[in-house]
Amino acid sequence: MADYLMWPWIERLYMLDDLRKFPVLSAWCAAMTNLPAVKECSYPVEWHKKFFDMYMKGNPDSQLIGIEEKA
């Protein structure tokens, strides 16, 4: 259960950062992305990148990335 609780926080890091410096964390992330429950609930990498770019520019609409696509 702890893996599923931590995944949403780590998912963003995994999608946006190079984790080769951390082989154990990188292997855990790769294993998590192959789980059916995680696949069903994950967001596309493009959404994470778009959110991060908009967030860093101070755009309050960054919180809405993917709303229209998921609805």
Side-chain angles (χ1 to χ4, degrees), residues 2-69:
D3 290 331
Y4 290 123
L5 292 172
M6 290 301 300
W7 178 247
W9 299 97
I10 303 295
E11 177 184 25
R12 292 176 184 93
L13 178 67
Y14 181 59
M15 298 296 176
L16 297 174
D17 200 30
D18 180 15
L19 296 180
R20 284 181 275 177
K21 297 177 273 187
F22 308 100
V24 175
L25 180 60
S26 183
W28 177 80
C29 288
M32 287 296 290
T33 58
N34 289 322
L35 294 173
V38 172
K39 285 181 183 180
E40 186 177 323
C41 296
S42 291
Y43 293 105
V45 176
E46 298 80 30
W47 290 7
H48 288 289
K49 289 180 180 179
K50 188 174 179 182
F51 163 79
F52 187 72
D53 290 341
M54 290 174 70
Y55 179 80
M56 292 306 292
K57 292 176 184 171
N59 188 335
D61 289 338
S62 64
Q63 302 295 321
L64 303 175
I65 299 297
I67 295 291
E68 61 278 349
E69 288 89 350

